[in-house]
Amino acid sequence: MFVFRTGILGGRVDISVTVNGEPTSHDVEARRLLVHYLREDVGLTGTNIGCDTSSCGACTVHLNGESVKSCTLLAVQADGQDVTTIEGLAPSSDELHPMQEAFRQEHGLQCGYCTPGMVMAAVSLLDENAKPTELEVRQGLEGNLCRCTGYHNIVKAVLAASGQPVKD
Amino acid sequence: MIPAAFDYHRATSAEDAIAQLAEHGDEAKLMAGGHSLVPMMKLRLAVPTVVVDIGRVTELSYIREDGEQIAIGALTTHHMLENSDLLADQCPLLGAVAKVVGDPQVRHRGTLGGTLAHSDPASDLPAAVLALGGTLVAQGPNGTREIAASSFFTGYFESELADDEMLTEIRVPKCPNAGWNYQKFNRRAQDWAIVGVAAVVGDGITGVGLVNMGSVPVLATPVIDALADGASAADAASVAANETEAPADLNASPDYRRHLARVLTERALVASGVA
């Protein structure tokens, strides 16, 4: 049985999460959401909170390589697991991940608020389907809302990142 | 939004989880993927004082053949269902319905056992398991018992499961030659169905399940009876809303839902090969 402690405010837990390859460890309330853990305890604010109801996808990160909505996961569910955030995607500080580069090239963003989640969802999509059709890209990103772009340039960016020709 | 405080237990096995349930009674809630429970806890619609996390009980994550049935562990994710070659070959309805639940992020976490135990009448997969005539296996302190899907759902978010029972396995029949279809009517991607209809016809099965047409996932018995009497798809679908208590909400009135049920049932039956 996992060790836990009770208190007047409910249980607290010591958790260790590998975030972007780095070990992190904090004593958190059991009700701590993963997105708050990442932003406030670990200090990585690239993961945005949008709707806070698991609809918009702005908080999308990877848990053990799969896209998840970090506003709908408890931090303790990620205990002992690998989390990748938008900060962990680029290979180095002066080089973008191919998906980030494609979003830049195809202008797949306007205000940028949805972009971290959109990029993380898109990377997970290509991990599962390396050469998606345009329809598969649109369906694969159904969990991520963008209120600026109308999605067309985002879809182009994902197709470009998959190495497929992009129609203008 | 932040859930109310609770104590957290991470179960190492089904037995461990059941022992926790036995100790804490209805104060405790099992959490599988958490993708129905955590949103409800954030809205304080669910306020368990103890959360028993069964998400690491990985021995309950499987899809395998079991004689004439497919046995699916309760912690199998929607993502696994939609990508299962075994289901695609032997019971394609289930994988196809899993593919339209929520969105990819939700499907990476959400589980078949979780969605059934949650017993939301607006969820997609319960109607599919009903249509297939599935069997649910519940484990409690005194062993396991089998519950027919048709008697599992007892009320709005309520099931036949006792406070100290946990769903461990779902069994559906192999039906590789049956016609099947799922109609999901919603206004936006990732929404719940305003109405949904799951149909499977052939291989000895005639099943139709309705989504969001009452306080529980509904087995469309009038349609099934009509088909048994040789009715056409159109005639069978005309009774799809009989004996239902369609809810009203912002998306649809009961009348509109009844209309949708008839139209979608006809489409689902035609796509399943009913003349």
Side-chain angles (χ1 to χ4, degrees), chain A residues 1-2 4-7 9-11 13 29-31 33 36 51-55 57 60 63 66-69 71-74 76-79 81 121 124 128 139-140 142-144, chain B residues 1-12 16 20 31-36 38-39 41-44 51 53 56 79 83 99-109 189-190:
Chain A
M1 176 55 62
F2 184 67
F4 70 97
R5 305 190 300 279
T6 43
L9 293 174
V13 286
E29 282 190 275
R31 61 176 168 170
L33 298 171
H36 292 140
C51 67
D52 208 5
T53 59
S54 57
S55 300
T60 300
L63 179 64
E66 291 184 329
S67 60
V68 297
K69 292 182 173 177
C71 79
T72 307
L73 276 168
L74 302 173
V76 67
Q77 288 178 279
D79 180 33
Q81 315 286 309
S124 181
E128 292 170 12
Q139 289 174 339
E142 68 180 324
N144 292 71
Chain B
M1 297 178 295
I2 296 167
F6 55 85
D7 287 341
Y8 174 86
H9 298 253
R10 181 180 300 147
T12 52
D16 184 16
Q20 290 296 330
M31 180 173 71
H35 270 47
S36 296
V38 172
M41 288 170 62
K42 289 173 72 176
L43 293 166
R44 310 274 172 129
V51 168
D53 183 358
R56 308 280 176 100
H79 179 71
N83 290 296
K99 200 177 176 68
V100 297
V101 174
D103 55 51
Q105 292 96 317
V106 169
R107 297 197 290 273
H108 283 144
R109 297 292 306 172
Q190 76 171 234

Side-chain angles (χ1 to χ4, degrees), chain B residues 11-18 21 30-33 52-64 71-78 80-81 109-117 136-140 144 161 165-171:
Chain B
T12 52
S13 65
E15 291 73 22
D16 184 16
I18 291 158
L21 291 178
L30 292 181
M31 180 173 71
V52 180
D53 183 358
I54 53 174
R56 308 280 176 100
V57 184
T58 49
E59 66 260 29
L60 291 182
S61 176
Y62 57 82
I63 305 170
R64 60 187 177 220
I72 303 167
L75 286 163
T76 304
T77 62
H78 308 326
M80 290 171 66
L81 297 177
R109 297 292 306 172
T111 66
L112 180 59
T115 190
L116 292 167
L136 283 60
V137 180
Q139 186 172 339
T144 62
L161 288 175
E165 279 184 319
M166 162 176 169
L167 205 52
T168 52
E169 188 174 88
I170 296 88
R171 296 184 192 143

